[in-house]
Amino acid sequence: KRIVVLISGSGSNLQAILDQTLEGQINGTIEAVICNRPGAFGLTRAEQAGIDARLLDHKQFTDRESFDAALIELIDSYTPDLVILAGFMRILTPELVRHYQGRLFNIHPSLLPKYKGLHTHQRALEAGDAEHGCTVHFVTEELDGGPLIVQAKTDILTDDDEQSLQQRVHQLEHQIYPLAVQWFCAGRLSLDQTGVRFDGELL
Ligand code: GRF
């Protein structure tokens, strides 16, 4: 399977998935990494792995629609089976989401449907939650609202602060994202009108 990864930052999720493709755990290859922020370390990770590292700076575009149109053209030039958002900090237009519906993943640092949006770790701490975690989901037009694929949880400890909690959740992300990608590339995971199917069963 052909994979394209979209990033905006350090790309540690990209690295976790890349490592698993290189170890043969994932039946897929990352054909390109596309980043909207100049200088993001994730671009360096791609270059070091000999993968096309493409910058598409959203500041070069007058509006969201023209950026997304250029993004679709660039993504499609790699004919991907799966497009992965890995810390891609852009809100996508409905057109782009529809174009990739059913083959577009995202990872979110909360136990969705709780804490959609930003500052999820701080919000979980302030709410006094007993646990927190991360979620891989199919992307639909609702921000952080798509059908869930897999989650990982961690207890919130009394001495946790945003940094310690974020660090633990980040490690969990690096476990569940490659797993979800592996399932999709093995043909075990799909999204249809009724929802997410894993090995043919509705999740
Ligand atoms: C992760 O915390 C992820 O949950 C969020 O953005 C961050 C990406 O981190 N969507 P990295 O760039 O993969 O290290």
Side-chain angles (χ1 to χ4, degrees), residues 25-124:
Q25 301 285 329
I26 292 176
N27 176 25
T29 49
I30 297 176
E31 302 299 329
V33 171
I34 299 171
C35 181
N36 66 308
R37 284 205 190 127
F41 185 62
L43 283 171
T44 306
R45 293 181 194 270
E47 286 158 2
Q48 285 172 345
I51 293 171
D52 270 19
R54 308 297 297 270
L55 173 65
L56 194 68
D57 185 347
H58 61 275
K59 295 192 182 70
Q60 305 293 319
F61 294 81
T62 49
D63 60 31
R64 191 174 297 280
E65 285 68 25
S66 55
F67 173 72
D68 273 23
L71 185 54
I72 288 173
E73 192 176 344
L74 181 56
I75 293 169
D76 282 354
S77 72
Y78 292 95
T79 61
D81 298 296
L82 175 63
V83 180
I84 294 172
L85 306 181
F88 189 61
M89 303 311 273
R90 290 277 304 171
I91 293 181
L92 302 171
T93 57
E95 289 75 24
L96 189 146
V97 171
R98 273 198 295 274
H99 186 71
Y100 296 109
Q101 187 106 355
R103 55 184 174 125
L104 180 59
F105 282 5
N106 184 45
I107 189 155
H108 183 75
S110 80
L111 295 173
L112 289 174
K114 292 183 82 167
Y115 309 127
K116 296 176 182 175
L118 300 173
H119 313 301
T120 61
H121 313 293
Q122 196 54 39
R123 289 157 65 192

Side-chain angles (χ1 to χ4, degrees), residues 9-14 86-89 106-109 166 170 173-174:
S10 74
S12 70
N13 277 285
L14 158 68
F88 189 61
M89 303 311 273
N106 184 45
I107 189 155
H108 183 75
Q166 176 170 22
H170 221 177
E173 292 175 16
H174 301 157

